[in-house]
Amino acid sequence: MSPDFITLLYLVAAVLFILALRGLSSPVTSQQGNRFGMIGMAIAVAATLLRPGMSSGIVLIVAGIGIGGTIGNYIAKRIQMTALPQLVAAFHSLVGLAAVFVAAAALNAPEAFGIGTRYHIHTQSLVEMSLGLAIGAITFTGSIIAFAKLQGLMKGTPITFSYQHEINLGIGLLILLLILFFISSGAPPVFWMIAILAGVLGFTLIIPIGGADMPTVISLLNSYAGLSAAAMGFVLRSKLLIVAGALDGSSGFILSVIMSKAMNRSFTNVLFGAFGQVQVSAAGETEVGVVRTATPEDAAAILEAANYVMIVPGYGMAVAQAQHKVREFYDVLTKRGIEVKFAIHPVAGRMPGHMNVLLAEA
């Protein structure tokens, strides 16, 4: 297949990825967005397999796609909607791990990637490789911790210790120094030191974050996964991987900023793992509210007389699997001529769009 035709297919796939993001920005067009994304990925995979030189490893590639596709299909059919957040976190960890593996493969066989020879890798490629490695390792371990917290394997409350932020800063600076040394030397031991320290940093960045703040963490890890994929796209000289990773990284970053504002959090604190703490009011201040009780009959009378109803779903709806009951409730009200709307907070649930997904299911 000619390189020009493959480039054209990559361009079509990239446009479909952009349309997918646009569609996923609204629950109304989300299904169409998913379809655009799946078609784009199918075209991207097919175009990659048609590239010159791919025939030699086609059996292993097809086997990998078959195994991965079978596992993904099995999980997708059996996963509960309430378990989607931890599934997304697990998927992010795999993206980070893939970036680490690609970087390791490029280090050990640079000739196959066209980036030089062993111990004589191009400086530009060393920069791309080290950045992708560090971000990928942070994504991997950070996503594992997010999965463990969401799955209940770890306690959801923030885990803190003395000098936590200073230690994180020290690890980050040490990683930067090692990256500079790796770029100048290309030494494999330095490569693995970067991987280990970045993995530790991913762990220490996420453990102080509480379960209630996980939606922002999920979107941030999504951004990290995209950035690691884009870095590996430079190593692999894959324009499409660069575009797809950049789209994923930038959209995840923007979503994280939006969600931080919705939670009244500082985004810089999110980036450095310094949030998730319980907000303490000033000394002596106590919020006092009035609790009003009502019977089901009282609620029915209020709703019967209403002209406009706003439903605000929360994670309790997800735990109780009550989205179908909410749909029945909606149908009853609309049949009576009552206007019904839904108000979904950007951080409702345990991942971005969690409530939207559950309501769309119903």
Side-chain angles (χ1 to χ4, degrees):
M1 192 66 65
S2 69
D4 290 341
F5 182 69
I6 292 174
T7 301
L8 177 61
L9 291 178
Y10 280 163
L11 179 60
V12 172
V15 171
L16 287 170
F17 290 156
I18 295 171
L19 292 174
L21 282 177
R22 181 184 180 186
L24 291 171
S25 65
S26 169
V28 178
T29 58
S30 59
Q31 290 186 346
Q32 184 184 55
N34 269 318
R35 282 192 286 270
F36 280 140
M38 289 187 288
I39 295 171
M41 184 56 67
I43 292 173
V45 172
T48 301
L49 294 177
L50 291 173
R51 289 177 60 179
M54 295 297 291
S55 57
S56 59
I58 193 69
V59 174
L60 286 176
I61 294 172
V62 172
I65 293 174
I67 295 171
T70 301
I71 295 173
N73 182 64
Y74 176 85
I75 294 174
K77 287 185 175 180
R78 286 161 177 77
I79 193 73
Q80 294 293 324
M81 298 299 283
T82 49
L84 279 179
Q86 48 263 53
L87 179 64
V88 172
F91 284 166
H92 287 162
S93 73
L94 296 179
V95 175
L97 186 61
V100 173
F101 283 165
V102 171
L107 178 69
N108 286 288
E111 300 88 349
F113 293 80
I115 59 175
T117 59
R118 192 169 174 82
Y119 301 113
H120 295 88
I121 300 174
H122 301 156
T123 302
Q124 176 184 337
S125 299
L126 289 173
V127 174
E128 299 157 355
M129 191 190 307
S130 56
L131 290 176
L133 169 69
I135 299 172
I138 291 172
T139 304
F140 173 63
T141 54
S143 298
I144 292 294
I145 298 302
F147 170 83
K149 287 200 171 194
L150 291 168
Q151 188 66 17
L153 302 177
M154 290 179 63
K155 63 179 183 178
T157 54
I159 300 173
T160 59
F161 51 86
S162 300
Y163 304 106
Q164 190 166 35
H165 305 315
E166 291 79 3
I167 291 173
N168 287 345
L169 178 62
I171 295 174
L173 292 175
L174 183 56
I175 291 172
L176 288 177
L177 291 174
L178 287 172
I179 288 175
L180 293 175
F181 184 56
F182 177 69
I183 293 171
S184 63
S185 67
V190 180
F191 175 93
W192 292 113
M193 288 176 66
I194 294 172
I196 293 170
L197 283 174
V200 172
L201 184 60
F203 176 84
T204 57
L205 283 176
I206 303 302
I207 58 170
I209 299 174
D213 296 319
M214 275 300 149
T216 308
V217 175
I218 294 294
S219 64
L220 188 60
L221 289 171
N222 177 72
S223 178
Y224 289 166
L227 292 174
S228 64
M232 288 303 101
F234 283 102
V235 175
L236 296 171
R237 301 295 184 266
S238 171
K239 296 181 179 66
L240 184 64
L241 188 55
I242 295 171
V243 171
L247 288 172
D248 189 14
S250 59
S251 60
F253 182 85
I254 293 169
L255 181 59
S256 299
V257 172
I258 293 172
M259 297 179 74
S260 296
K261 290 181 179 179
M263 297 176 67
N264 297 318
R265 304 286 194 187
S266 167
F267 184 66
T268 55
N269 287 344
V270 178
L271 283 174
F272 298 107
F275 81 126
Q277 309 298 326
V278 177
Q279 300 298 312
V280 181
S281 59
E285 291 185 8
T286 304
E287 292 186 7
V288 179
V290 178
V291 178
R292 298 178 59 183
T293 60
T295 65
E297 290 76 14
D298 294 335
I302 294 172
L303 290 170
E304 189 175 20
N307 295 316
Y308 183 92
V309 172
M310 181 75 74
I311 298 175
V312 186
Y315 187 61
M317 183 190 77
V319 175
Q321 290 285 289
Q323 61 267 31
H324 299 286
K325 291 297 180 183
V326 172
R327 173 58 191 264
E328 293 174 13
F329 180 57
Y330 168 85
D331 290 338
V332 170
L333 292 176
T334 51
K335 285 179 182 178
R336 289 176 170 270
I338 300 172
E339 185 180 357
V340 181
K341 288 191 175 182
F342 290 83
I344 303 176
H345 191 274
V347 201
R350 296 199 295 177
M351 64 175 285
H354 196 185
M355 295 297 104
N356 303 81
V357 171
L358 291 171
L359 290 171
E361 179 192 19

